[in-house]
Amino acid sequence: MSKGISPYRLRQTPKGQLMVPLYADGELVNVQLIDAQGNKRFLKGGQVLGAYSPLGRVMPGKTLYVCEGWATGATIHAHTREPVACAMHAGNLEPVARGLCERYGHLEMVIAGDDDRATPGNPGRTAANAAALAVGALVLFPAWPKEAPHILTDFNDLACWYRQQGGHHE
């Protein structure tokens, strides 16, 4: 994958699009299709609000991360080995976090937000902070090195940038 991550259990359409499954209350409710150029779309009529793509299993004693995109979630899961719920966009962070709290009860949750620092109002940071406040979760954002370009917005961008620099991040 061009994002430098494992595809885990994602499948591809005959046209080569990645199919990211979205679940709500344990049921498959939609699929996000991602083409080779990174264009994304959901299936018409499928649920998006409150739906997420899971990586790993939610279990007692594990920290659950909630993030925006699937590549970000796969990066977080690869580096932490903790379960991740990919909410697919900033406006879905809070509904997903609330739904997971209702489903699993008390668990340690971290909202791993995008940092849309080049976008007025920084919608990723704003939505992540609101979601964390709504459910009593911790919130985490990428720690940008001074030389990191401002177009980078999430944990996958940061991991890819580090690899391009010839290193890795911890």
Side-chain angles (χ1 to χ4, degrees), residues 108-133:
E108 185 169 328
M109 185 180 288
V110 176
I111 308 296
D114 283 13
D115 185 8
D116 302 319
R117 55 206 173 127
T119 303
N122 199 333
R125 186 175 281 270
T126 301
N129 281 324
L133 188 60

Side-chain angles (χ1 to χ4, degrees), residues 76-159:
I76 292 166
H77 182 65
H79 287 274
T80 65
R81 293 291 178 225
E82 300 285 354
V84 180
C86 308
M88 312 319 284
H89 62 82
N92 205 25
L93 288 170
E94 186 174 330
V96 166
R98 285 184 184 278
L100 289 166
C101 286
E102 288 173 16
R103 180 169 183 164
Y104 294 104
H106 179 72
L107 45 86
E108 185 169 328
M109 185 180 288
V110 176
I111 308 296
D114 283 13
D115 185 8
D116 302 319
R117 55 206 173 127
T119 303
N122 199 333
R125 186 175 281 270
T126 301
N129 281 324
L133 188 60
V135 298
L138 300 173
V139 66
L140 181 67
F141 298 100
W144 304 113
K146 290 179 192 173
E147 61 275 15
H150 275 67
I151 59 167
L152 306 180
T153 63
D154 61 38
F155 289 99
N156 179 259
D157 290 346
L158 183 59

Side-chain angles (χ1 to χ4, degrees), residues 40-80:
K40 303 169 185 172
R41 69 178 182 86
F42 297 105
L43 296 181
K44 186 178 180 178
Q47 179 182 338
V48 176
L49 189 66
Y52 63 94
S53 185
L55 290 159
R57 272 184 66 203
V58 177
M59 297 171 51
K62 293 274 196 178
T63 299
L64 174 62
Y65 288 82
V66 179
C67 67
E68 286 188 38
W70 192 89
T72 298
T75 300
I76 292 166
H77 182 65
H79 287 274
T80 65

